[in-house]
Amino acid sequence: MSVVTEFRRGFDGAQLAVHRLGPKTDSARPLILLHGLFSSAEMNWIKWGHAALLAEAGFECIMPDLRAHGQSAAPLDPAAYPDDVLALEGRQAAQLHVEDGASLHLVDLEKVDQPVAGLVHVGTPPDQRDHLVEHVQGLDQA
């Protein structure tokens, strides 16, 4: 499996990167992985193998680079960073098109016809990757 990168437009037209890894099948559970401040999807999830481990466990990992991070645009205009910028771009940054054309959004999860495994929003040290998979798989029983 290899990482696929797509680009979408933010609320003001800024280019935002979304990286995806994992199977895109009916049985694959979508999992949104957000990076931390001053980081990127590459640093938090791809480089150290976290996303690959989750993908091997059957999850489709959706990893946006937030505005001014990673491969996403970093506009210089202060107006490009309103207080609610994450809410404005949440739907666009982590949108997943499943085979039937339905969409998964960060803030609109209840409209998905495919169950969502969870939302992981913190980094995990490389030596604790296996615990991440156990935790995410445990979401199915929650």
Side-chain angles (χ1 to χ4, degrees):
M1 277 184 274
S2 60
V3 176
V4 174
T5 301
E6 303 170 354
F7 292 92
R8 303 190 184 277
R9 296 281 170 202
F11 75 95
D12 61 350
Q15 188 170 323
L16 304 173
V18 179
H19 311 281
R20 294 169 44 165
L21 179 66
K24 190 171 182 178
T25 63
D26 290 340
S27 62
R29 300 283 303 275
L31 183 66
I32 301 169
L33 304 172
L34 298 179
H35 62 75
L37 187 62
F38 306 121
S39 194
S40 65
E42 172 67 28
M43 182 56 71
N44 272 116
W45 303 112
I46 300 167
K47 180 177 181 177
W48 305 107
H50 297 78
L53 207 58
L54 290 164
E56 289 169 11
F59 294 94
E60 181 183 12
C61 300
I62 304 157
M63 304 162 284
D65 276 335
L66 302 176
R67 179 175 288 252
H69 294 79
Q71 294 180 30
S72 289
L76 299 177
D77 183 355
Y81 301 92
D83 291 341
D84 58 351
V85 68
L86 291 179
L88 289 170
E89 294 180 342
R91 291 182 182 162
Q92 295 162 326
Q95 188 175 35
L96 164 69
H97 297 283
V98 291
E99 290 185 9
D100 65 0
S103 296
L104 165 67
H105 298 84
L106 272 173
V107 294
D108 209 10
L109 298 179
E110 72 277 0
K111 294 184 179 179
V112 179
D113 63 355
Q114 184 174 353
V116 175
L119 178 65
V120 177
H121 67 279
V122 295
T124 303
D127 63 342
Q128 296 180 17
R129 288 182 309 183
D130 293 336
H131 298 293
L132 177 65
V133 173
E134 292 168 10
H135 171 73
V136 171
Q137 288 174 332
L139 293 171
D140 288 331
Q141 286 81 44

